[in-house]
Amino acid sequence: MFDRIVAEESDRDPDLAVIEAGSRTLRAQAAPPQGEPAPAPLDPETAAALREVEQELSTRWGETKLEPSVSRIAALMDVLGEPQRAYPSIHVTGTNGKTSTSRMIEALLNAFELRTGRYTSPHVQSITERISLDGAPISAERFVETYYDIKPYVEMVDASEEYRLSFFEVLTGMAYAAFADAPVDVAVVEVGMGGSWDATNVIDAAVAVITPISLDHTDRLGSTHGEIAQEKGGIIKQDATVILAQQPVDAAQVLLKKAVEVDATVAREGMEFGVVSREVAVGGQMLTLRGVGGEYEGIFLPLHGAHMAHNAAVALAAVEAFFGVGAQQSRELDLETVRRGFASVTSPGRMEVVRRSPTVILDAAHNPAGAQVTAEAVTEAFGFSRLIGVVGASEGKDVRGVFEAFEPIFAEVVVTENSSHRAMSADELAAIAVEVFGSERVQVEPRLDDALEAAITLAEEEAEYGGAGVLVTGSVITVGEARLLLKRG
């Protein structure tokens, strides 16, 4: 079956047959909360303390400045007493869908009454979102306490290493310490970038999840799918179980080879598990998923788009693997619990509707592959006769590819900027947009609030027909700031 799939996509590399033959699969081994509450306003003292912590963190290397090594985070874990080894982990990497998949895994584990810790990045609105316990961000008070608890140890490592710990490394240390302190039954950990040298990669996760790989961060991870897969495959540990989403063939080849090298068990979407069927439903979609242990029918997922259905299949397989389905047992998980878990899933800033009349959707697509699946999801789930785009992007991104993905569905596009120092200027963005859309379809509004107002005004020109909408996209930061402006959460 795999041969046929590969042959349909490209010339078959003979090494792939060897890799497939050497890898094990889960199926071969088998014997025959609704929504997140809005954060409460902080009291002045707590708000000031949180700002102080954020200010201290901001003096460190940002998330885009990297020195490819895990030596500093390993040193921090050592002086903290290896908190990341106090609980089992599920490690999630890939290019697109990492956060949504992580949130689905978490929701399923919560439904099975396990206490979870989730570490994801970047945040949409508040830095506290990055560290969650039982599906909710830790409180500002706890975030501050955790920072000051580990700060002396951070300073010890800073003094002994060539470079100080980075912003992301300190946050990773905080997450692992908070999870150990809770304590959690299982941690769901999303990589920041890559895998091999990502700060999160000091865990020995029994389950490694790799969502679809596409071209992003090519200056750091490689210029081909295979090169990027080499980095992301670094989270696959000895004797682990690997859950592979559908991948480009060269990426699949690299990942399967790595699995063979470390004697890992592999389950592949489209082979050992996958989406059997999906139908658009009010507020989301109805799914039938095939897991490694059996078929799960009648699953309501309150998220839109085929890509979210595939994320759900990956998440289900990951949870099955965590519980030993396929390896130690052949029967599927309890269906009603799985249904309850998926029905509770939220994913802020991912195909999220934040207002009606006109409908405004937020989606954090920031590369061409992400933009393409978002465009397909919007087309499928909403019958817009006129859709206005609001796009604010970061420097270094393939914004032309993003615009080209959205061009068929945007009647007009309003280009803007977010408040990040990495934001691409509205004028620079407009120059590229004009080449894709033509000048008559591009409007420039450097302030995001003005851009939202302009887009809603353009959409309201057809409001009497009820067929207009606005899609805010291009960056997690843009979406987060728009979410605040639109008074969501």
Side-chain angles (χ1 to χ4, degrees):
M1 181 179 179
F2 194 49
D3 290 4
R4 177 175 56 77
I5 293 171
V6 173
E8 288 173 356
E9 297 192 15
S10 70
D11 293 333
R12 179 163 171 77
D13 188 317
D15 288 341
L16 202 55
V18 176
I19 293 166
E20 184 191 0
S23 65
R24 299 172 293 157
T25 69
L26 275 172
R27 190 172 294 280
Q29 289 191 75
Q34 188 68 10
E36 245 176 52
L42 299 179
D43 65 80
E45 185 176 341
T46 301
L50 182 61
R51 283 196 302 272
E52 184 177 334
V53 169
E54 289 190 80
Q55 179 58 40
E56 288 192 22
L57 288 169
S58 72
T59 66
R60 297 178 175 274
W61 278 0
E63 288 169 284
T64 60
K65 186 170 183 180
L66 304 167
E67 194 271 322
S69 166
V70 294
S71 63
R72 292 176 302 281
I73 187 67
L76 180 60
M77 293 297 99
D78 182 54
V79 296
L80 287 175
E82 305 291 347
Q84 82 282 14
R85 304 196 189 284
Y87 38 81
S89 300
I90 298 174
H91 208 175
V92 184
T93 190
T95 303
N96 292 311
K98 296 189 298 295
T99 298
S100 295
T101 302
S102 296
R103 294 178 72 98
M104 291 181 197
I105 292 170
E106 173 192 52
L108 287 172
L109 293 169
N110 287 157
F112 282 98
E113 300 184 349
L114 292 182
R115 186 161 206 210
T116 57
R118 171 172 50 83
Y119 181 51
T120 53
S121 60
H123 56 274
V124 177
Q125 288 182 212
S126 170
I127 194 171
T128 60
E129 296 167 24
R130 294 177 180 238
I131 305 172
S132 290
L133 294 173
D134 293 329
I138 64 173
S139 67
E141 292 88 349
R142 190 163 189 170
F143 186 92
V144 171
E145 288 171 5
T146 302
Y147 174 75
Y148 285 114
D149 282 346
I150 75 164
K151 183 179 177 180
Y153 302 97
V154 168
E155 291 173 343
M156 286 172 56
V157 175
D158 284 344
S160 63
E161 295 286 327
E162 182 179 0
Y163 302 106
R164 296 171 71 214
L165 286 153
S166 70
F167 169 88
F168 187 73
E169 287 169 334
V170 175
L171 279 174
T172 301
M174 289 173 61
Y176 289 160
F179 296 160
D181 185 59
V184 301
D185 297 315
V186 54
V188 183
V189 178
E190 176 191 334
V191 303
M193 187 185 299
S196 295
W197 41 258
D198 187 73
T200 62
N201 203 29
V202 288
I203 54 174
D204 289 318
V207 180
V209 178
I210 304 180
T211 67
I213 289 173
S214 60
L215 301 180
D216 198 7
H217 301 297
T218 53
D219 54 331
R220 297 177 178 87
L221 301 180
S223 59
T224 68
H225 295 113
E227 290 174 350
I228 294 172
Q230 191 73 46
E231 287 297 330
K232 294 186 183 292
I235 72 165
I236 302 174
K237 304 298 171 59
Q238 187 73 35
D239 297 320
T241 299
V242 186
I243 307 301
L244 288 184
Q246 292 178 344
Q247 303 290 349
V249 174
D250 56 341
Q253 178 177 349
V254 169
L255 295 170
L256 290 170
K257 184 176 180 180
K258 175 60 184 286
V260 171
E261 290 171 353
V262 297
D263 201 24
T265 300
V266 179
R268 296 153 292 185
E269 184 182 5
M271 301 186 72
E272 285 76 44
F273 69 93
V275 178
V276 175
S277 65
R278 51 182 294 271
E279 295 180 4
V280 176
V282 176
Q285 52 193 311
M286 292 298 299
L287 308 175
T288 297
L289 302 177
R290 179 165 58 89
V292 296
E295 199 161 286
Y296 301 77
E297 299 179 339
I299 293 172
F300 174 67
L301 180 69
L303 301 172
H304 299 286
H307 62 302
M308 288 298 186
H310 289 287
N311 291 345
V314 170
L316 176 61
V319 173
E320 285 183 310
F322 180 78
F323 284 123
V325 173
Q328 286 88 39
Q329 57 175 308
S330 59
R331 65 181 180 83
E332 65 270 20
L333 300 174
D334 180 72
L335 178 59
E336 288 306 316
T337 305
V338 169
R339 286 174 174 165
R340 187 168 65 252
F342 276 121
S344 71
V345 170
T346 61
S347 196
R350 276 80 179 176
M351 287 295 296
E352 181 185 20
V353 176
V354 293
R355 75 166 268 181
R356 301 283 185 181
S357 300
T359 299
V360 179
I361 304 167
L362 306 180
D363 192 87
H366 57 273
N367 56 46
Q372 184 61 49
V373 297
T374 296
E376 292 169 359
V378 169
T379 300
E380 175 187 79
F382 303 91
F384 293 130
S385 59
R386 177 180 174 82
L387 180 63
I388 310 300
V390 176
V391 179
S394 298
E395 288 283 0
K397 295 295 183 180
D398 181 3
V399 293
R400 180 182 297 277
V402 170
F403 281 139
E404 288 173 347
F406 285 127
E407 190 278 331
I409 69 167
F410 284 170
E412 296 181 59
V413 60
V414 182
V415 296
T416 188
E417 300 172 24
N418 58 55
S419 64
S420 168
H421 67 279
R422 295 173 49 223
M424 180 178 287
S425 75
D427 288 341
E428 187 179 355
L429 204 55
I432 301 171
V434 166
E435 293 177 5
V436 176
F437 292 89
S439 59
E440 70 282 356
R441 294 168 63 193
V442 177
Q443 184 169 331
V444 183
E445 295 289 350
R447 286 172 51 108
L448 181 56
D449 54 349
D450 292 339
L452 292 171
E453 183 177 351
I456 290 170
T457 299
L458 287 169
E460 285 175 339
E461 291 177 2
E462 288 196 8
E464 62 183 294
Y465 305 108
V470 174
L471 174 63
V472 184
T473 189
S475 162
V476 174
I477 298 168
T478 301
V479 163
E481 292 180 357
R483 203 169 188 263
L484 281 171
L485 288 166
L486 294 164
K487 310 301 183 186
R488 178 79 173 187

